Each structure stands twice: as structure tokens, then as C-alpha cells.
Amino acid sequence: MKKLAFHTMILAFCCGMMTSALAQEQKAAAAQAPAAQPPQETVCFESRKGASEVTKRDLQPGWPNVKCSPKTGAALWYGDPYDGTVPMGKMPGLEKIPEGHAVVKPRSEKLAILPMCATACHNGVGPAFNPPKLPKDKKPIPIPTMEGLLPDAKDLQHGRGRIWCLDCHHTTKRNMLVDNYGDPVSIDQPQLLCGKCHGDKMRDWRDGIHGKRIGEFASTGKKRWFTCTECHNPHNVQDGARNKGFVQIAPEAPPQLPKGMKDAKYERVHGIAH
Amino acid sequence: MLSASALMGSAALMTMSDDAKAATEWAEHFQKNYRLMTDAEKAEARTRLERRYSSEYGKKVTVDTTGPQPGVLMGYALNVRKCIGCRRCVHACVEENNQSRGTRPGEKIEWIQVLRMERGEFSKDKMNQGYPEGLGIQVGGNAYTPAGQVLEGQYRYEPEAVPEKDATYMPIACMQCEKPPCVKVCPVRTTYREADGPVVIDYNWCIGCRMCMGACPYWARRINLTTPVLPKEEMNPVTHYLGNRPRMRGVVEKCHWCLQRTRQGRYPACVEVCPVGARKFGNLLDPESEVSLILARKNVFRLKAELNTFPKFFYFYD
Ligand code: SF4
Ligand code: SF4
């Protein structure tokens, strides 16, 4: 009912904006197909806001790939767990999983300027790179463009001052990360980098204890694995002084109040005073 | 006798009728308890229900009757340290399981509850407060604010953002007990433990006596006091007979670990939607599954273990 009222409101708003003739046409169309949404897309965020998203579409009539929360815009339900995924690639320790049964959502797709990093700016050309050299004190040179793109870079929180950009990003291939051997790895496989320090978390992640997997529950089943950076902000993992690995998000709506209750104050008043 | 034959006559008439709903309801009255049905009877019931639901909800609805799979015993684990109390699991469950979602009293049903517990503390300014207070003789101290748990917790917290600084969250739902008190008390034996673990309900045989609701120590069961409110466009058309098929008024329902998903090998909806990955599900008989590994490696506890209900829902922390 609420939804209907909401639609009606939107409709009323549109009517106000357009000529009455157009509005009437719209109304007629809306009456004919009340379930049909305007062509505008519903996109919801998954684990961490801004990290990965799904666009709603119907897999079959009345059976969407995802349902989004009207309150917070979060993904609330998955019809298709493999939406927009690609094979995870080689991952030591997961050899038992059959080919193609471990898939991930590529991070690179979300990072729109990634292909340009190593060509537009970090291309080894420029006054500071002739001959190529890096800051000796491992303090990033404050470049306004870079800091504008990545505010976290100003005062890098990850490692609390003990690490810097090139501990994680490849020196000469800036759109890639570094693995244990210093070799470049894709930004879609952050686990190969993060596991270097966070070995215990990596082990738990590999076993499905830490982090999130969706799809088939059998240990050899096809799963979409959420990679490190889908849930954690790699530049500020601990969320500053909060010191928690996961940022705060808005909660979904609370349950219905008991009959006759106006608010939930009663939950706070009883039981606490001893 | 007369009335009986009249009834039979109208039965024949109604079974013939085109109204899918009327025909189904009549046939349902003569339907056996699900556990006693033969495969043919199950198939019949399934076709009946599929026809009825499809016409009722205006889309193709399937009613699965897949039984327990050999070698599978379902288990669940939840990391209480990770849960941030966002309630996405609660709503995922509603989207998946076709609960009633009306606005009037008793019309909104949710199976998962997320309890907010205040952390509490021992504080200096309460150092000199005694217990009992004001009687002269003190037998204890009051230097604390209840730590860890505030009675049954708060259900309806609504801050701007979670997790809050001074709170921990503890989601509860049906624990799928190995020795379920709800099953022991059901007078019509319509609720029972399936061979792969979950405790299910054949809604058609539920008489709504609510004995199970009283017996369950985990507040897991809900009754449809009103006719469930389930809008057509929100209805999930992929259902299981013992799982999320639409319920009727006056029957009890509860979490069944998304039988319509898990019997097809898929994770439950709450596991898939938890943004922090606090929820884990798997086969307890497979030593490689995440729940088996959690049991082997982590610190695990069960809620109200002293009641000997032996839940297959485990809480753990890193
Ligand atoms: S938690 Fe409650 S409803 Fe679930 S099996 Fe145990 S006693 Fe039954
Ligand atoms: S979705 Fe996960 S984090 Fe959110 S309340 Fe449920 S268990 Fe807790």
C-alpha cells in the first residue's frame, strides 16, 4: 500500500511538471500496467557502499536477480548470485575447487579510471622521472590530483603510518597490486596481496569462515567469493579512530511494535536498573 | 448420513469446478499428513498447489517436494563478533519466505530477530553503591551497569547507523534443535525434524494451537493471526512444500533454513545477504564445509545449551 502511495506521489509530481495531456496519457499507462516500473534503473549496493553494485532485472516474470531495500538502497535478496562475475583466477589453497566454481565480481569494473592510471599519470614520463626515482623516505609526494581522486591518500590510515602506496601498488605498473614475490597481480585479486600480512584472515577466508560467499553451499559448489576490498576500504581498513574493519551503515527497518505501543521506549526502561 | 452424502455431492461438484482455489481447498481437507503421503500423493498435492498459487499470485509458482539429500546434515554458524545489527538478514528472510507483510497488528511477520545488547561497564562513580541499597548492611556491590546482556535485549533499536559504539548484536531464529521441544509438544505431529536436519511444519495439518510457540525456548515461532498479507508482485514464486509456500490464517510458521534453496544446494537467503559475512551455512557431515571447520577451529557456543535442545545453530567468535 505504501509503495502504491509512493508511486501515486511520484505520478502526481510528474503530472505537475508536464502538460495535462501528457499527464493523462501517463496515468492511463500506469493504470494499465501498475507493476511496470518507469525505465529508470534500480541499483543497489552490496556489502560496502560504493564498492560493488547490482542492477535489478527480471530473470523470469516476477523473479528478479536482486531485490533492493527501499530504505537504505542495500541489496536485500539475491536471485542470481553470479550476476556480473568472472572466474577468480589462480588462488593457492583452492586447488580442490573445480574449474570455474570460484567466481568473483571484478573490482576493476567499478574503478572507472583504473586503465588510465598507468598511462595518463603514472607512466614513467615527467620531470620527476628523468631519471626515474622514488621518494627515499617512502612518503608520497603530495600531488593535488591524486589526493583529489583519493582523499584517503593524504593521511594514509592503513598500517597506521607504517606502510605507504608502493607497499601494495606495483612500482612500475601502477594499476596492479604486488604479490609475495613483488610481481604484479590484478586488482581483482586483492587476496594475493592482503594475505601477505593478514595470513590468519586469509586462511579463514579461504576456508569460508571469514568474509562472504554466495551461491552453492557444498564445499566444491559454485560460489561467488567476495574479495577483501569489496567489504574493506583498503586505504582505511580500520575506519580511522573507530578501529573497526567495517564502516557503519544505516540499519533496515525495525520489527512491528506490539499492539497498542506507540514507540519502543519500553525496551530501554525495563530491566536495566539494578 | 444424509448430510454426509450431501457433502460428498458438493465435493464432487467443487472438485469439478473451474475455480482452482475452491477445488484445492476441498481436496486439501482429505490430504494426509505430508510424512504419510506416498510419492504419488505428494505429486498430486504439488500440482494442486502450483495451480492454485499460480492463479492466486498471477505468475508461475513452483512447489518443490525434494526430500533430504543423502550425506547432508545442515548446520549453521553465526559470528557474533562480526554482526553489525543491520537487519538485512531479517528482510532477506521476508523477501525469500513469503511472510505476511501487512501494517496492521499481527500482519507483519519476521522470523529472524536481531537483539541489541548493551555492553555495560563497571564504573568508578558507582564504586560506593551497595546492594541492597539504603538498608545499612550491604551484601554486594553495584559498581556495574549490566554488562553484556540486558535481559532479553532490544529488538526495535533504530539509530542512524550501526554498529553503535556501546552495543553488540545477537541475531536469533529457529535453532533447528536436534531434540526440539516444539516437536515433542505438537498434538497433531505436524512439525517434525527432517532427515537432513531442519525442523519443518506441514502447514495443512497445523491446527494453530500454539503449543510449539510456548515450548520453543528461542522465541522462534510465529502464528498467522490474520490472513497473511502477501502482495502479488512481492511473492517469491520458487517455493517448497515444507518451506516458503504461502501460508493460511491460523497456522504457525518459522525458519526452515530456506528449504526451497538448500535442498537445491543453494545457501539460505540470510547467509547471502549479510554484508559482513557473519552468517555461515554448510554440511556438518562434510569436514571441508565452513561450519565443520568453524566447529573444529573456533570458539563455539550454543544458545541455552543447558536446556539440552542441541541446536544445530552455533554462535562463534574470532
Ligand atoms: S528453536 Fe524452537 S522452533 Fe526451532 S527447533 Fe528448536 S524448539 Fe523448535
Ligand atoms: S545481516 Fe549480518 S550483520 Fe546484519 S544483522 Fe544480520 S547477521 Fe548481523
Side-chain angles (χ1 to χ4, degrees), chain A:
Chain A
M1 225 37 240
K2 247 186 192 159
K3 208 166 181 181
L4 243 177
F6 181 62
H7 285 174
T8 326
M9 258 173 63
I10 292 192
L11 209 65
F13 184 65
C14 294
C15 292
M17 301 292 282
M18 295 174 197
T19 64
S20 65
L22 200 67
Q24 252 166 29
E25 237 176 63
Q26 269 215 349
K27 225 176 212 163
Q32 263 170 19
Q37 293 283 315
Q40 140 216 0
E41 281 183 340
T42 314
V43 182
C44 42
F45 72 97
E46 299 187 288
S47 188
R48 171 165 73 94
K49 214 168 189 163
S52 63
E53 281 152 3
V54 228
T55 308
K56 190 175 168 184
R57 64 191 162 80
D58 263 357
L59 299 175
Q60 68 181 57
W63 172 254
N65 63 335
V66 72
K67 291 186 189 173
C68 308
S69 160
K71 180 167 183 271
T72 62
L76 273 195
W77 178 89
Y78 285 95
D80 174 16
Y82 314 121
D83 190 287
T85 54
V86 298
M88 182 196 280
K90 257 183 103 73
M91 174 68 205
L94 294 186
E95 290 82 9
K96 269 196 213 147
I97 296 175
E99 189 80 21
H101 273 206
V103 295
V104 295
K105 202 167 232 187
R107 299 289 302 125
S108 40
E109 269 171 27
K110 185 73 184 127
L111 307 168
I113 57 159
L114 189 74
M116 286 166 351
C117 298
T119 51
C121 302
H122 306 282
N123 50 11
V125 188
F129 289 94
N130 207 4
K133 63 176 192 302
L134 292 167
K136 290 232 167 45
D137 56 359
K138 297 203 167 183
K139 286 267 174 296
I141 302 161
I143 304 164
T145 325
M146 189 68 235
E147 288 181 350
L149 284 168
L150 184 75
D152 284 336
K154 260 187 222 145
D155 178 19
L156 187 70
Q157 289 294 309
H158 190 172
R160 297 188 176 86
R162 280 176 198 83
I163 62 171
W164 82 304
C165 316
L166 299 189
D167 286 326
C168 300
H169 296 275
H170 196 267
T171 316
T172 51
K173 297 197 175 82
R174 290 293 170 90
N175 51 3
M176 300 194 93
L177 305 170
V178 241
D179 71 0
N180 269 309
Y181 303 102
D183 292 335
V185 288
S186 161
I187 210 134
D188 299 338
Q189 289 182 293
Q191 62 274 18
L192 293 175
L193 159 72
C194 305
K196 285 161 72 178
C197 296
H198 306 281
D200 57 335
K201 291 288 175 288
M202 151 94 128
R203 184 181 70 153
D204 278 357
W205 179 80
R206 219 170 38 201
D207 291 335
I209 300 174
H210 180 102
K212 172 170 171 174
R213 307 185 298 184
I214 66 180
E216 296 167 359
F217 71 77
S219 47
T220 50
K222 182 177 177 184
K223 296 180 177 64
R224 168 181 167 198
W225 295 60
F226 280 64
T227 58
C228 317
T229 48
E230 274 176 87
C231 303
H232 305 290
N233 172 2
H235 299 116
N236 187 358
V237 189
Q238 71 272 38
D239 196 19
R242 241 187 96 239
N243 203 15
K244 293 266 170 9
F246 200 85
V247 291
Q248 287 177 298
I249 53 176
E252 299 298 330
Q256 194 177 31
L257 281 163
K259 195 175 174 183
M261 292 255 189
K262 294 248 154 33
D263 54 46
K265 282 205 189 99
Y266 73 98
E267 285 190 338
R268 293 187 154 270
V269 292
H270 85 83
I272 300 180
H274 273 235

Side-chain angles (χ1 to χ4, degrees), chain B residues 38-279:
Chain B
T38 61
D39 283 348
E41 283 166 334
K42 280 182 190 168
E44 232 172 74
R46 169 193 187 150
T47 328
R48 244 191 338 253
L49 287 173
E50 283 182 348
R51 240 180 60 213
R52 164 166 153 206
Y53 294 144
S54 298
S55 80
E56 208 172 321
Y57 293 98
K59 54 183 156 192
K60 198 180 169 308
V61 179
T62 54
V63 181
D64 190 10
T65 51
T66 309
Q69 304 301 304
V72 177
L73 181 65
M74 299 180 191
Y76 207 118
L78 192 147
N79 191 337
V80 265
R81 216 183 128 271
K82 291 266 159 64
C83 174
I84 57 170
C86 68
R87 290 202 193 95
R88 273 198 220 176
C89 49
V90 178
H91 292 260
C93 176
V94 173
E95 298 291 351
E96 172 71 23
N97 289 308
N98 292 325
Q99 282 99 322
S100 173
R101 46 200 89 172
T103 46
R104 285 180 304 173
E107 277 183 355
K108 192 172 167 200
I109 292 181
E110 288 167 0
W111 293 346
I112 304 175
Q113 291 173 292
V114 185
L115 300 185
R116 176 189 186 273
M117 315 275 201
E118 277 173 19
R119 269 188 208 277
E121 56 176 1
F122 290 90
S123 59
K124 208 160 69 184
D125 32 292
K126 284 186 160 187
M127 280 282 275
N128 295 324
Q129 292 178 23
Y131 171 83
E133 247 159 272
L135 289 184
I137 307 160
Q138 292 188 358
V139 293
N142 251 339
Y144 73 104
T145 312
Q149 196 167 338
V150 182
L151 283 186
E152 60 277 347
Q154 297 166 11
Y155 300 86
R156 296 173 185 84
Y157 60 90
E158 220 183 345
E160 293 269 291
V162 286
E164 298 150 278
K165 195 162 167 290
D166 297 319
T168 49
Y169 304 89
M170 174 122 175
I172 53 169
C174 175
M175 304 281 156
Q176 318 296 356
C177 312
E178 272 297 272
K179 305 251 183 306
C182 57
V183 168
K184 291 181 192 162
V185 299
C186 179
V188 289
R189 298 198 179 167
T190 193
T191 186
Y192 61 98
R193 174 192 176 276
E194 281 273 284
D196 52 355
V199 172
V200 297
I201 304 163
D202 176 356
Y203 308 112
N204 282 74
W205 273 68
C206 176
I207 55 171
C209 69
R210 293 189 265 171
M211 295 281 276
C212 55
M213 291 177 74
C216 171
Y218 305 101
W219 315 298
R221 291 181 166 246
R222 308 279 180 276
I223 183 150
N224 286 285
L225 272 178
T226 60
T227 305
V229 181
L230 179 57
K232 280 182 187 167
E233 66 275 12
E234 284 175 36
M235 192 255 175
N236 177 5
V238 180
T239 74
H240 192 284
Y241 189 98
L242 297 170
N244 64 340
R245 68 183 167 108
R247 275 80 64 187
M248 26 325 205
R249 178 180 176 174
V251 304
V252 165
E253 58 182 61
K254 66 162 190 76
C255 162
H256 45 79
W257 281 349
C258 288
L259 225 55
Q260 65 284 352
R261 286 171 163 245
T262 48
R263 285 271 165 90
Q264 303 298 334
R266 180 97 179 261
Y267 278 118
C270 50
V271 171
E272 293 200 338
V273 88
C274 176
V276 295
R279 294 177 164 268

